[in-house]
Amino acid sequence: CYQSLACVSCFQKDCLKTSRNKCMAILPEGFLCTDCMSTRKRRIPSILTCRAKDHHRPPLFEVEKLLRSHLKVLDSKLLAKLKPTFNLTSLNLRPSKAAPISRKPRSKSTFNPAASVPVFDTNLGALELSHDKIILKEPKDDCVYIFQQLRFGSYDGLCFYDSGADGNLIRGEFAEKVGFKTLDPNNQRISGISNMVTWTNYGVYCGAVGPDSCGNFWELAFQGIENLTSSFPRYDWSSLNTEARVSCPLDSDVLPPSIGGQPADVLLGFKIPALVPKLEFSLPSGIGLYRCPF
């Protein structure tokens, strides 16, 4: 905004010709920096354009929600592509310090719009002729995560298997409610993308979960955290369950009627190979049918 002379409130270039009140009227509540509201600036900076290091920064999921409400065109896959150790793009993050605003550097990539897509034989390293080979395209569909509904005492918990994590997380309130053992009660501080740091407001918990396919129970440590993820959509598996029964030898396996519709309570990383969900079948529709460890 500062470089392109766009409005620091609504991001539009032609907005500077309108009044401050008219600009603010089109913005969703909470989009502007609340600490700057009392100033007499012609334009109140948004939560993204405010340069004051000591001003309040809302959690990342609230920023995403406000951007969706205002811009209407925010790519839903943008944050999902930023995948740190604990998938911190879905957590409540607050930057430890404001990042300096700098001019966009020149890209180092070369570009030839007329170039064809190279086809590499990764065994020999040779370039192949594309018209002699069957080239498959990556799907354009949304990614479906691996979920499992687990029972902890008298409570159901949504478990999210995260291939980008090497540790386990649990929503702190859920851990306290179901009775996980507290290993370390101290508030923990974890960092994620762009050196953003957040306090978890909870300590470290421990619980044994199972049984697995061999009847064993696994004692696992979980980092407690205030909010683990935002709410996932509810997926109705009715038609896919029918497709799976017809296409795969499932015998008496129980298939979930639906999954999701709430934030995750537990996140399991892929630190232990035996606890990684395994692909059993690929349905004709392209959906993978995984067998979870518990």
Side-chain angles (χ1 to χ4, degrees):
C1 290
Y2 294 97
Q3 297 291 339
S4 61
L5 300 181
C7 176
V8 295
S9 300
C10 67
F11 309 149
Q12 300 181 72
K13 284 192 175 183
D14 58 352
C15 179
L16 299 179
K17 301 177 183 178
T18 64
S19 68
R20 165 174 155 166
N21 291 338
K22 185 176 180 180
C23 168
M24 295 173 60
I26 67 172
L27 300 174
E29 183 178 356
F31 193 76
L32 297 179
C33 175
T34 54
D35 295 312
C36 291
M37 294 290 285
S38 60
T39 65
R40 295 187 178 183
K41 296 179 180 179
R42 186 184 175 195
R43 288 292 184 268
I44 303 299
S46 72
I47 52 178
L48 296 178
T49 56
C50 174
R51 294 180 170 183
K53 296 181 179 181
D54 58 338
H55 284 190
H56 172 68
R57 297 290 188 272
L60 188 59
F61 76 92
E62 289 186 14
V63 175
E64 181 185 4
K65 182 179 179 181
L66 290 169
L67 282 172
R68 290 186 193 279
S69 174
H70 177 47
L71 300 181
K72 309 295 185 184
V73 294
L74 182 65
D75 182 1
S76 60
K77 298 179 181 179
L78 178 62
L79 294 182
K81 293 175 183 177
L82 307 174
K83 205 165 188 185
T85 303
F86 276 117
N87 219 0
L88 291 181
T89 54
S90 58
L91 306 181
N92 284 330
L93 297 178
R94 180 177 296 180
S96 57
K97 60 181 180 179
I101 299 175
S102 60
R103 184 181 298 275
K104 181 180 178 180
R106 184 186 297 275
S107 173
K108 298 180 180 179
S109 298
T110 58
F111 178 62
N112 179 8
S116 58
V117 178
V119 180
F120 294 96
D121 183 326
T122 54
N123 291 319
L124 303 176
L127 279 170
E128 302 286 344
L129 297 176
S130 59
H131 58 78
D132 291 338
K133 306 296 179 183
I134 298 176
I135 308 298
L136 305 178
K137 304 283 188 179
E138 62 178 314
K140 302 294 184 181
D141 302 316
D142 290 341
C143 174
V144 178
Y145 300 103
I146 303 177
F147 298 105
Q148 185 181 13
Q149 199 75 30
L150 299 176
R151 189 75 170 169
F152 297 89
S154 58
Y155 300 97
D156 288 327
L158 181 63
C159 179
F160 171 38
Y161 292 90
D162 188 355
S163 60
D166 60 2
N168 309 311
L169 296 173
I170 190 168
R171 193 165 56 83
E173 183 181 2
F174 183 77
E176 294 284 342
K177 182 170 60 175
V178 303
F180 271 62
K181 178 181 178 179
T182 304
L183 295 179
D184 183 354
N186 294 311
N187 192 0
Q188 306 292 319
R189 190 183 185 192
I190 55 178
S191 61
I193 56 173
S194 301
N195 293 323
M196 290 191 294
V197 176
T198 184
W199 287 99
T200 63
N201 294 334
Y202 288 92
V204 180
Y205 296 89
C206 180
V209 292
D212 61 12
S213 58
C214 298
N216 300 320
F217 286 76
W218 291 80
E219 183 177 307
L220 304 174
F222 297 83
Q223 171 61 61
I225 196 164
E226 187 80 44
N227 292 303
L228 186 50
T229 69
S230 56
S231 183
F232 290 103
R234 175 171 292 278
Y235 298 98
D236 186 352
W237 295 139
S238 301
S239 60
L240 290 175
N241 288 345
T242 301
E243 180 184 356
R245 295 286 184 194
V246 173
S247 307
C248 311
L250 295 174
D251 299 326
S252 60
D253 288 296
V254 178
L255 300 178
S258 63
I259 200 72
Q262 65 177 78
D265 298 302
V266 176
L267 182 149
L268 285 180
F270 283 15
K271 183 178 181 180
I272 304 174
L275 300 185
V276 176
K278 297 186 172 50
L279 178 65
E280 294 280 322
F281 309 100
S282 291
L283 302 181
S285 61
I287 297 294
L289 185 62
Y290 287 79
R291 185 176 297 277
C292 292
F294 306 117

